[in-house]
Amino acid sequence: MKQEKMIVIRPSRETDVDAMLAIYRRHIRRGIEVGVDDGDTPQPDDLRERRKNLKDRRFPHVVAVEGEKVVGYAYVVLFRKRPAYLYTVKHSIYVHHDHVGQGVGSLLMRGLIDACAAAGFRQMIGYIDADNAPSLALHERFGFARVGLLPAVAYRYGRWADTVMVQRSLAAGSTTPPPPPPLSTR
């Protein structure tokens, strides 16, 4: 009888970078046509630096691990760099292709929402390929509303693709902003 391994969500570590990069590269390669140069995909040092910068600024950056294997990761960045948007983040979630449809995305989403709320953020924004029905359904289950459609903003596989913009409030009805999340001054 096969024993199921439990998936744990935890803050990412330096040692997770290679696994996160492998997951990311596969997602990116599947989003472009064969023959299109994907030379701009990050290298391990690029991802290490990005992860370090986010963690230094106390932006949530989490991984899903099964045993010792990273099976997904998620993080947030500022939605816009201007001070008025200090409380709004844009998120990304990537799941290892062997674990899609097994609840990893839900675990990452819950962990990311909780971490963002605890850090004092007020809104989460996401951009999703309009053809990605599983991701759209996941976001709906977690209370994200569709707030915009960006028609024909990506070109892949011989056609223009739309992107759906989603948004979720993290505030509990308060109109007074919480203290700002701690950000470095670098």
Side-chain angles (χ1 to χ4, degrees), residues 23 26-27 66 69-71 95-102 104:
I23 292 168
R26 186 168 200 283
H27 278 274
E66 183 180 57
K69 181 180 180 183
V70 174
V71 296
V95 176
H96 188 281
H97 63 279
D98 289 339
H99 291 81
V100 171
Q102 298 176 18
V104 174

Side-chain angles (χ1 to χ4, degrees), residues 60-133:
H61 196 287
V62 298
V63 293
V65 292
E66 183 180 57
E68 297 298 315
K69 181 180 180 183
V70 174
V71 296
Y73 72 102
Y75 63 93
V76 298
V77 297
L78 276 178
F79 173 63
R80 297 279 189 264
K81 292 182 181 180
R82 299 196 183 273
Y85 299 101
L86 184 62
Y87 302 100
T88 302
V89 291
K90 180 175 72 77
H91 71 280
S92 295
I93 296 177
Y94 296 97
V95 176
H96 188 281
H97 63 279
D98 289 339
H99 291 81
V100 171
Q102 298 176 18
V104 174
S106 292
L107 292 170
L108 284 165
M109 181 68 83
R110 172 51 49 213
L112 200 57
I113 288 170
D114 292 348
C116 287
F121 294 111
R122 186 172 173 82
Q123 299 287 330
M124 286 179 72
I125 305 288
Y127 295 98
I128 305 163
D129 184 291
D131 292 332
N132 190 342

